Amino acid sequence: MSYGISNLSIVPGRSEANDQAEMVTQLLFGEVYQIIEETEKWIKIKTALDGYECWICRKQFFEISAEEYENHKLNDFPKSTDVIGDVRSSESTYSKITIGATLPYFSNGKLKIRKEKYTFSGNTNEANTGKIIDYALTFINAPYLWGGRTVFGIDCSGFSQIVYSLCGYRIPRDAYQQAEEGVNVEFAELTEPGDLAFFDNEEGKITHVGIVTEPGNVIHASGKVRIDNLDQQGIFNKELGKYTHKLRVIKRIF
């Protein structure tokens, strides 16, 4: 079996093996995966972070060993908390990375991918793992993008996943999967900052998630990352003057 790592700022993960296929997620710098299927131009992968399966372009594949892959799975490496940061290789080439990017083997401003060494002078989450709302607010006004996981485009579950990862918690990729984590909070009035609120559609399928900032308010990606009112009925958008999402369940992860 082969393994890889994202040595680019963003690698799109698609539902099928072609350029026109739906983007279902993104790999950020430093995230690792195993290969489960291959074609001439495409590679189907399973991410180590959340077990998510998708296709990436072979041109964006960077191989690592099985030992390196296991090391990445076992270690909770620091993550960049800069909206945009720079990593510079030993050959003095720059790469841009986004908030939430993983910094493998980071220590004293240096990190490593395979044998390549990089320097990074930005901020990390090492001393701030409890600042979940501060991290969430970093994404305010980020545009909604299906499959996105960055400030330049993010979906609702990508938003909650990245914010939680900055606080040292691994949660699944999709909203309905995240809803299986944690313990129930029975009433919206009893929520605490960082609780996850989940919302369903007319068929009863969980399709949306947001992060409680305080009782009565939720930050979520809907058109853009925004803060709206939350009560036992759901999300009330004051600009539209109506409820936009129907509450299904609230979960406390930590």
Side-chain angles (χ1 to χ4, degrees), residues 15 18 21 45 51 55 64 68 80 94 123 141 146 153 161 191 193 196 206 212 216 230 242-243 250:
S15 60
N18 66 74
I45 66 168
W55 291 88
I64 58 174
E68 289 171 313
S80 171
Y94 284 89
N123 298 301
N141 287 325
W146 181 267
Q161 186 188 54
T191 55
L196 293 181
I206 291 175
V212 174
L230 173 70
K242 66 177 183 180
Y243 285 93
I250 300 171

Side-chain angles (χ1 to χ4, degrees), residues 85-131:
D86 286 305
V87 292
R88 186 170 73 173
S89 74
S90 55
E91 298 176 352
S92 296
T93 57
Y94 284 89
S95 293
K96 297 292 184 182
I97 61 173
T98 64
I99 184 171
T102 300
L103 306 171
Y105 307 102
F106 183 75
S107 179
N108 298 318
K110 299 187 183 298
L111 59 133
K112 184 180 69 170
I113 292 182
R114 210 160 63 182
K115 294 182 179 180
E116 186 70 45
K117 295 181 179 180
Y118 299 82
T119 57
F120 175 73
S121 57
N123 298 301
T124 74
N125 65 336
E126 289 178 287
N128 298 303
T129 54
K131 296 187 174 182

Side-chain angles (χ1 to χ4, degrees), residues 1-251:
M1 185 171 289
S2 298
Y3 304 89
I5 188 171
S6 174
N7 66 339
L8 303 173
S9 58
I10 303 167
V11 174
R14 302 193 179 277
S15 60
E16 298 177 8
N18 66 74
D19 288 310
Q20 289 74 42
E22 174 186 47
M23 185 179 73
V24 292
T25 194
Q26 293 172 327
L27 300 179
L28 304 187
F29 182 89
E31 293 184 336
V32 297
Y33 52 86
Q34 65 182 77
I35 295 175
I36 55 179
E37 190 176 338
E38 297 184 61
T39 70
E40 181 182 354
K41 297 181 180 179
W42 294 87
I43 297 172
K44 189 174 186 181
I45 66 168
K46 183 176 183 179
T47 62
L49 172 66
D50 49 25
Y52 208 78
E53 296 183 7
C54 60
W55 291 88
I56 65 169
C57 177
R58 184 177 289 277
K59 295 174 184 176
Q60 296 175 322
F61 168 60
F62 191 78
E63 188 172 14
I64 58 174
S65 68
E67 181 181 4
E68 289 171 313
Y69 174 80
E70 291 300 327
N71 283 338
H72 278 261
K73 284 188 66 176
L74 291 173
N75 286 282
D76 190 17
F77 293 123
K79 291 177 170 40
S80 171
T81 56
D82 292 342
V83 173
I84 294 295
D86 286 305
V87 292
R88 186 170 73 173
S89 74
S90 55
E91 298 176 352
S92 296
T93 57
Y94 284 89
S95 293
K96 297 292 184 182
I97 61 173
T98 64
I99 184 171
T102 300
L103 306 171
Y105 307 102
F106 183 75
S107 179
N108 298 318
K110 299 187 183 298
L111 59 133
K112 184 180 69 170
I113 292 182
R114 210 160 63 182
K115 294 182 179 180
E116 186 70 45
K117 295 181 179 180
Y118 299 82
T119 57
F120 175 73
S121 57
N123 298 301
T124 74
N125 65 336
E126 289 178 287
N128 298 303
T129 54
K131 296 187 174 182
I132 188 165
I133 303 305
D134 290 342
Y135 290 139
L137 292 173
T138 301
F139 289 84
I140 203 77
N141 287 325
Y144 182 88
L145 175 66
W146 181 267
R149 297 176 70 225
T150 78
V151 291
F152 299 109
I154 197 162
D155 63 24
C156 65
S157 55
F159 172 60
S160 53
Q161 186 188 54
I162 288 292
V163 170
Y164 263 70
S165 73
L166 289 167
C167 295
Y169 295 92
R170 295 188 181 189
I171 60 175
R173 177 62 177 87
D174 289 336
Y176 75 92
Q177 298 169 321
Q178 295 174 7
E180 298 175 1
E181 305 292 309
V183 297
N184 287 2
V185 178
E186 296 301 329
F187 301 102
E189 295 81 6
L190 301 178
T191 55
E192 296 179 0
D195 289 346
L196 293 181
F198 297 92
F199 309 86
D200 59 16
N201 59 16
E202 294 178 354
E203 289 75 39
K205 180 180 179 181
I206 291 175
T207 57
H208 192 66
V209 58
I211 302 172
V212 174
T213 58
E214 61 183 352
N217 286 314
V218 62
I219 184 169
H220 62 129
S222 180
K224 62 181 181 180
V225 175
R226 54 182 294 127
I227 297 175
D228 285 311
N229 296 139
L230 173 70
D231 60 26
Q232 203 63 32
Q233 186 172 338
I235 293 177
F236 184 81
N237 184 313
K238 289 186 289 186
E239 294 175 6
L240 299 177
K242 66 177 183 180
Y243 285 93
T244 57
H245 299 81
K246 180 169 66 75
L247 183 65
R248 171 69 171 273
V249 67
I250 300 171
K251 288 297 191 75

